Amino acid sequence: MMPEEFLWGVGQSGFQFEMGDKLRRHIDPNTDWWKWVRDPFNIKKELVSGDLPEDGINNYELFENDHKLAKDLGLNAYRIGIEWSRVFPCPTWTVDTEVELDTYGLIKDIKIDKSTLDELDKLANKEEIIYYRRVIQHLRELGFKVFVNLNHFTLPVWIHDPLAAREKALTNGRIGWVSQRTVVEFAKYAAYIAHALGDLVDMWSTFNEPMVVVELGYLAPYSGFPPGVMNPEAAKLAILNMINAHALAYKMIKRFDTKKADDDSKSPAEVGIIYNNIGVAYPKDPNDPKDVKAAENDNYFHSGLFFDAIHKGRLNMEFDGENFVKVRHLKGNDWIGLNYYTREVVRYSEPKFPSIPLISFKGVPNYGYSCRPGTTSADNRPVSDIGWEVYPEGIYDSIVEASKYGVPVYVTENGVADSADMLRPYYIVSHVSKIEEAIENGYTVKGYMHWALTDNYEWALGFSMRFGLYKVDLISKERIPREKSVDTYRKIVQYNGVPDDLKDEFLKGEE
Ligand SMILES: O=[N+]([O-])c1ccccc1O[C@@H]1O[C@H](CO)[C@H](O)[C@H](O)[C@H]1O
């Protein structure tokens, strides 16, 4: 059983859930992803699916309905995302701020005060603020603890034009996280949102999975993620800028959200980061020191580097895992949101880029993310529709790794692409059991949020991947329960842990 105050919830983002209203009144054409997924070249090359987000599930209008579905499951936590581009459809560059740099060229502080907020207020789309306030208020009325995430992959197109960025090999101005200008604008956005929503929100996160943005955007040109270039120098800049952006947003949220929303909160603003692949790279051959080193490097590249910076003020600017500089102003993180889907199994391989020595690993096929749908993994585990191995042990190891930083952990995403609902009940039971085990062994995990309540738009893969406890009919927008999963999750939530009958049904013979 979980501790009494354990949070059970679901997670969602803006871009993947909001759009889909019939009259197209609530489309948001102002993101990089909007532009990216309809680009004829991308569609022709099958980099993206050709599905469009405006044909999606329409949570924008149906949020009350979705909140009620979550309530009926017995949930008490709900994670949402704010779309930067909805609040600021036009550039905020013109709002002047003083920026203080450190000796490494990182931004140490940025002067944002009440008059800056007034200027930003003139540029903000007030209707969208009113809208997000309604959404949060409705969640609060239903008794949910609300988690608000500021950035989930998408960037305003005025700050990132992915097609121009690709075409001009990142030499044009709108290059997203490769440019330090984005850090400054993000700090303004964070300050403004904290001010505009702070009375209703105590649990904040800056980013969702920053390393996915970097790796799929700048090191995997066929991933289907914008801007689809291969450029290790850009990847390094993007990582440093996102670390810097987290640090500044952390400060801004603390500065401008001074009002406690919930009685049970420790402070008016608990600011964390949502992160995936935390310590879940495993060596193919645990007896081969080179493979062991490869996994260690992989783990450091994916999470250690970022976490060392924001928790210890210790920055590995060389990307070698060996040389560090002290950058105290980067420190600041109150909780870790852990997203877990599967593991990685890696072998040693000579560093692909001389300037990133940590990338001395390569994935082994038929494990983790590299499986084929409709098969079982090399380890004889089930594989999801998206080709990801089901490996519940990984969530335990991920909790252990995240716990090293001394802040509470919330599982902010966990789920499976499974349109037939054959795997999901087992997936939920096995992963939640591992979380229970971690808690029994003394680790601090304070919540579990399933991804997702409903089907949604799975980025480059469009609507083909079905992560919902509720299936969504994309024509009628009807939510149809995937009965077995809905039942399973409801039982777990009611019991506040995995009851014995579910363990018997799904985990017999595993232990
Ligand atoms: O979006 N991704 O490409 C990606 C790759 C590896 C692990 C998580 C991950 O992103 C995460 O995954 C889920 C399901 O795929 C959602 O789409 C979510 O938006 C994202 O945060």
Side-chain angles (χ1 to χ4, degrees):
M1 288 245 284
M2 303 300 192
E4 209 186 311
E5 61 292 344
F6 193 80
L7 296 174
W8 295 100
V10 282
Q12 71 181 50
S13 68
F15 188 81
Q16 296 178 277
F17 289 79
E18 285 172 351
M19 288 186 262
D21 72 292
K22 266 213 189 69
L23 301 175
R24 301 280 195 262
R25 285 185 306 160
H26 303 296
I27 59 171
D28 171 15
N30 299 310
T31 63
D32 52 355
W33 270 93
W34 170 272
K35 200 163 175 179
W36 181 254
V37 295
R38 68 200 62 245
D39 173 54
F41 174 85
N42 285 344
I43 296 172
K44 186 162 154 258
K45 293 286 175 193
E46 295 182 16
L47 287 170
V48 297
S49 63
D51 293 346
L52 299 174
E54 62 268 37
D55 297 322
I57 67 149
N58 191 19
N59 172 259
Y60 196 100
E61 286 184 332
L62 302 178
F63 69 89
E64 293 181 338
N65 172 77
D66 291 344
H67 297 171
K68 282 184 198 135
L69 293 179
K71 189 73 203 168
D72 289 343
L73 280 170
L75 305 180
N76 58 1
Y78 207 113
R79 166 192 165 198
I80 62 163
I82 304 284
E83 288 290 278
W84 183 354
S85 50
R86 284 193 188 269
V87 179
F88 291 111
C90 300
T92 47
W93 326 115
T94 51
V95 176
D96 252 342
T97 44
E98 257 172 63
V99 165
E100 188 191 338
L101 296 181
D102 69 14
T103 48
Y104 304 105
L106 297 166
I107 300 172
K108 198 167 173 180
D109 203 0
I110 169 166
K111 196 172 163 282
I112 292 179
D113 53 23
K114 188 71 183 56
S115 72
T116 325
L117 294 182
D118 291 341
E119 289 300 305
L120 287 168
D121 199 50
K122 290 180 198 151
L123 298 173
N125 183 345
K126 251 50 119 257
E127 274 178 38
E128 297 288 17
I129 291 292
I130 292 168
Y131 169 75
Y132 284 124
R133 287 186 65 87
R134 267 177 55 214
V135 169
I136 296 168
Q137 250 148 351
H138 186 256
L139 284 169
R140 290 168 55 79
E141 278 157 25
L142 294 183
F144 291 103
K145 182 94 178 167
V146 183
F147 287 66
V148 171
N149 180 49
L150 291 184
N151 183 260
H152 195 127
F153 298 172
T154 51
L155 285 175
V157 74
W158 53 264
I159 225 166
H160 186 216
D161 179 338
L163 303 178
R166 176 173 61 191
E167 194 178 330
K168 300 193 178 126
L170 303 173
T171 55
N172 87 319
R174 302 181 181 193
I175 50 175
W177 290 113
V178 182
S179 165
Q180 195 174 48
R181 300 221 296 178
T182 304
V183 180
V184 176
E185 301 317 304
F186 188 69
K188 293 178 193 167
Y189 160 63
Y192 185 79
I193 295 292
H195 175 74
L197 308 179
D199 59 324
L200 303 178
V201 180
D202 293 337
M203 294 303 289
W204 298 93
S205 55
T206 54
F207 286 116
N208 177 77
E209 302 182 354
M211 286 303 287
V212 168
V213 174
V214 172
E215 218 179 346
L216 300 189
Y218 302 104
L219 299 173
Y222 303 106
S223 67
F225 268 54
V229 298
M230 180 63 115
N231 188 327
E233 293 317 304
K236 285 162 64 178
L237 284 171
I239 294 170
L240 296 177
N241 282 332
M242 289 179 100
I243 289 173
N244 204 170
H246 167 87
L248 291 170
Y250 178 91
K251 285 196 189 86
M252 294 306 145
I253 298 168
K254 296 274 192 189
R255 196 179 292 169
F256 293 107
D257 175 5
T258 49
K259 201 163 167 211
K260 229 191 204 191
D262 310 321
D263 294 333
D264 63 348
S265 296
K266 261 186 23 204
S267 76
E270 292 290 298
V271 185
I273 188 165
I274 294 174
Y275 216 95
N276 74 324
N277 283 7
I278 305 175
V280 288
Y282 301 84
K284 172 73 178 87
D285 177 359
N287 298 314
D288 179 342
K290 285 193 124 182
D291 283 6
V292 171
K293 185 69 188 164
E296 203 182 294
N297 281 348
D298 184 338
N299 284 324
Y300 196 73
F301 181 66
H302 281 111
S303 60
L305 193 150
F306 210 108
F307 286 162
D308 269 357
I310 65 175
H311 284 282
K312 300 177 186 161
R314 181 174 182 258
L315 184 60
N316 184 216
M317 286 183 99
E318 316 271 328
F319 294 86
D320 60 358
E322 282 163 19
N323 295 288
F324 302 92
V325 292
K326 264 268 163 246
V327 192
R328 281 199 185 78
H329 66 82
L330 294 177
K331 258 170 85 162
N333 195 48
D334 301 333
W335 55 275
I336 291 176
L338 190 160
N339 291 356
Y340 178 79
Y341 291 91
T342 187
R343 63 169 163 176
E344 282 181 279
V345 172
V346 297
R347 273 234 136 98
Y348 179 80
S349 120
E350 281 304 312
K352 210 164 154 187
F353 315 105
S355 68
I356 311 183
L358 281 173
I359 305 186
S360 68
F361 53 84
K362 67 166 190 276
V364 182
N366 301 315
Y367 291 97
Y369 293 103
S370 332
C371 298
R372 271 168 306 137
T375 65
T376 51
S377 77
D379 199 20
N380 218 11
R381 310 292 185 114
V383 169
S384 74
D385 293 351
I386 207 171
W388 295 355
E389 181 187 35
V390 180
Y391 186 74
E393 295 93 320
I395 200 167
Y396 186 96
D397 294 341
S398 205
I399 291 167
V400 172
E401 177 65 22
S403 300
K404 287 184 184 157
Y405 298 94
V407 294
V409 172
Y410 294 83
V411 174
T412 37
E413 282 183 29
N414 175 244
V416 61
D418 175 31
S419 68
D421 209 31
M422 297 291 286
L423 269 180
R424 191 174 290 100
Y426 163 70
Y427 192 96
I428 298 173
V429 168
S430 58
H431 286 75
V432 172
S433 293
K434 289 291 172 193
I435 299 169
E436 267 186 304
E437 212 177 298
I439 293 174
E440 277 158 23
N441 292 339
Y443 296 99
T444 307
V445 185
K446 295 191 155 188
Y448 172 87
M449 291 179 236
H450 192 75
W451 186 274
L453 180 71
T454 60
D455 288 338
N456 57 87
Y457 186 80
E458 181 55 30
W459 306 110
L461 299 171
F463 298 114
S464 61
M465 292 304 145
R466 301 292 188 140
F467 279 90
L469 295 167
Y470 284 79
K471 169 188 162 142
V472 177
D473 178 325
L474 292 171
I475 306 296
S476 68
K477 313 299 177 188
E478 194 190 342
R479 279 73 168 133
I480 304 143
R482 293 198 165 97
E483 295 285 358
K484 189 75 192 161
S485 287
V486 166
D487 241 48
T488 303
Y489 194 31
R490 186 188 283 117
K491 276 188 192 151
I492 290 174
V493 172
Q494 259 165 16
Y495 185 77
N496 197 28
V498 182
D500 286 339
D501 60 321
L502 287 181
K503 283 193 182 146
D504 289 346
E505 184 177 349
F506 291 103
L507 306 179
K508 265 257 159 74
E510 275 204 358
E511 233 76 19

